[in-house]
Amino acid sequence: MKPAVILYKSLPDDLRAKLDAHFTVTEVSDISPESVKQHAAQFQQAQGLLGSGGKVNGDLLAQMPALRACSTVSVGYDNFDVAALSQRGVVLMHTPTVLTETVADTLMALVLSSARRVTELDAWVKAGQWQASIGPQHYGVDVHHKTLGILGMGRIGMAAAQRAHFGFGMNILYNARRQHSEAETRFGARACDLETLLKESDFVCVILPMTEQTHHMIGAAQLKLMKPSAILINVGRGPVVDEQALISALQDGTIHAAGLDVFEQEPVPADSALLKLPNVVTLPHIGSATHETRYGMMSDAVDNLIAALTGKIEKNCVNPEVVK
Ligand code: GLV
Ligand code: GLV
C-alpha cells in the first residue's frame, strides 16, 4: 500500500502525478486547526506532509501520530518546531540549493532599486511628474565599487558576493562564525566582526535565517553604527531586524534607505510606517519567486518526500540525526 500524505500546496500537474505515483495524496488548502479538524482521519493516517506556510508544532504533531517526514517548499524552516519533530523521529526536508541564484538576484534587485530609487522614480514618472526638470532631488547613490557587507555567508551570500564583486567591482565584507576561504580567494571577501561590518559597509545585507540567536540581531544600537549613507537590505527573515528601530532609523536619517523582502509580520500591515517612507523599497517575500525556481523548489520537495518515505535520504535533510 502506498503511504498516505497530506499536500498543502497545489503542484503543477506533472509533479502532482509524480507524487500520486508514490503516495495516496490528500490535498488540503492549509494546515490550520480548522483544516486539520475537517480532514481529521487523513491527518491521523498521514506519514508525510508537503507544502509551505503554516506552523508545524507540537499541536499539529499531536494530530498526526503516523507522521514520519515533512517536506517544506522553502529553504527556511522557522515554521517548524524542529526539536519537537526530532523528538518524535520525524525528518524535516527542505530546498536549500535550488533557490540560491534567484534569491541572490533579488538581493541585487533591492540593492540597485534602493540605491537608484527605481521604484520611487518609476511611480513619479507614471504619475506624470516628469514635466519639470530632473535635479539633485532625484539623484541616487552609486552601487559600483562600494562595500557590500554580508550577514549570513551561506550559499546565497556566496552568490550575492559573486554578483557584487564581478558585476559591480564591489568590496565584500562578511561576518560569520567560520572563515570562508573560498569567498576570500574568489571575491577578495574580508571577514570582520559585526561592529566593523556595520561601520564600513555601504550596503548591509541580511541573509540570516530566523533563530533564537538571530532574533533582533539588528536593533537600534546596530543601526546607529551604520553610516548615514548606508542602505540595509533584508532577504533573510524579518524578525532578524527590529522593525520599529529600523523605522526610526529611516525616519531620522540614521541610515539612508532600506530594501526589504521580509518583515516581522507578513503580510506587512497596511498601516506600517515602512509603507509610507519613500526611502524604503518593499517586496512581498518573493526572493525565490520566479517560475523556474518555484518549479524547482516544488520538484525538489517532491523528490525529498519520496526519498524520506520510500528511499534513502542523501541530502536536503534538516535533522539527519533522526535517520538511524
Ligand atoms: C523563502 O523564504 C524560503 O525560505 O524558501
Ligand atoms: C533563509 O531564508 C533561511 O531561513 O534559511
Side-chain angles (χ1 to χ4, degrees):
M1 222 175 68
K2 293 191 279 191
V5 305
I6 299 282
L7 172 67
Y8 60 110
K9 181 176 191 71
S10 39
L11 298 176
D13 290 345
D14 58 330
L15 297 180
R16 176 58 196 263
K18 192 174 188 182
L19 200 65
D20 285 329
H22 288 83
F23 306 114
T24 302
V25 180
T26 301
E27 184 169 345
V28 298
S29 57
D30 57 69
I31 53 171
S32 62
E34 300 72 43
S35 179
V36 175
K37 203 181 243 170
Q38 196 184 337
H39 307 278
Q42 284 87 352
F43 275 85
Q44 286 273 330
Q45 285 153 20
Q47 298 184 35
L49 185 63
L50 189 157
S52 68
K55 294 261 175 258
V56 177
N57 52 24
D59 291 344
L60 181 65
L61 290 179
Q63 308 298 318
M64 304 192 71
L67 189 66
R68 291 171 33 217
C70 297
S71 179
T72 180
V73 187
S74 64
V75 59
Y77 44 84
D78 37 294
N79 281 333
F80 293 80
D81 182 339
V82 180
L85 289 172
S86 296
Q87 202 191 355
R88 265 272 313 269
V90 177
V91 292
L92 173 59
M93 311 294 291
H94 68 148
T95 64
T97 52
V98 66
L99 46 59
T100 302
E101 301 289 334
T102 299
V103 180
D105 285 352
T106 304
L107 185 147
M108 289 313 294
L110 286 172
V111 165
L112 290 165
S113 48
S114 52
R116 301 300 305 277
R117 304 168 60 186
V118 172
T119 53
E120 185 190 353
L121 295 176
D122 169 71
W124 183 82
V125 173
K126 287 176 180 166
Q129 298 187 64
W130 188 16
Q131 307 314 326
S133 60
I134 293 285
Q137 69 273 29
H138 304 110
Y139 297 171
V141 295
D142 275 332
V143 171
H144 67 87
H145 299 96
K146 293 281 181 71
T147 297
L148 186 95
I150 297 178
L151 298 177
M153 196 57 160
R155 294 179 179 88
I156 298 167
M158 288 291 285
Q162 181 184 33
R163 283 158 175 72
H165 178 70
F166 292 116
F168 295 87
M170 298 177 88
N171 306 312
I172 311 295
L173 301 179
Y174 73 96
N175 171 253
R177 256 167 291 174
R178 65 178 188 87
Q179 193 191 352
H180 288 259
S181 31
E182 193 192 339
E184 296 183 8
T185 323
R186 287 177 60 200
F187 317 128
R190 183 159 65 82
C192 57
D193 58 29
L194 180 60
E195 189 175 323
T196 307
L197 184 142
L198 293 167
K199 280 184 178 158
E200 294 186 10
S201 297
D202 298 300
F203 298 87
V204 172
C205 301
V206 177
I207 323 178
L208 291 162
M210 168 60 198
T211 66
E212 267 173 41
Q213 290 73 41
T214 63
H215 183 258
H216 282 193
M217 194 170 135
I218 303 298
Q222 289 71 33
L223 291 161
K224 236 175 236 129
L225 291 173
M226 289 171 63
K227 301 180 191 180
S229 58
I231 297 180
L232 181 83
I233 305 294
N234 190 358
V235 297
R237 282 294 182 267
V240 176
V241 177
D242 178 342
E243 211 162 271
Q244 279 315 314
L246 176 63
I247 290 167
S248 304
L250 289 162
Q251 284 170 335
D252 67 17
T254 302
I255 69 169
H256 177 60
L260 307 171
D261 185 42
V262 289
F263 301 85
E264 287 212 65
Q265 191 187 325
E266 295 179 7
V268 64
D271 62 356
S272 168
L274 284 174
L275 306 185
K276 300 189 177 63
L277 290 166
N279 52 341
V280 177
V281 176
T282 58
L283 288 176
H285 197 152
I286 48 82
S288 62
T290 61
H291 291 291
E292 301 92 326
T293 291
R294 280 295 163 88
Y295 180 89
M297 290 165 72
M298 290 187 277
S299 178
D300 279 8
V302 168
D303 290 343
N304 286 341
L305 193 64
I306 293 170
L309 288 180
T310 72
K312 192 162 168 288
I313 294 174
E314 268 152 14
K315 56 179 184 188
N316 298 345
C317 187
V318 171
N319 53 353
E321 68 280 2
V322 168
V323 189
K324 278 162 218 123

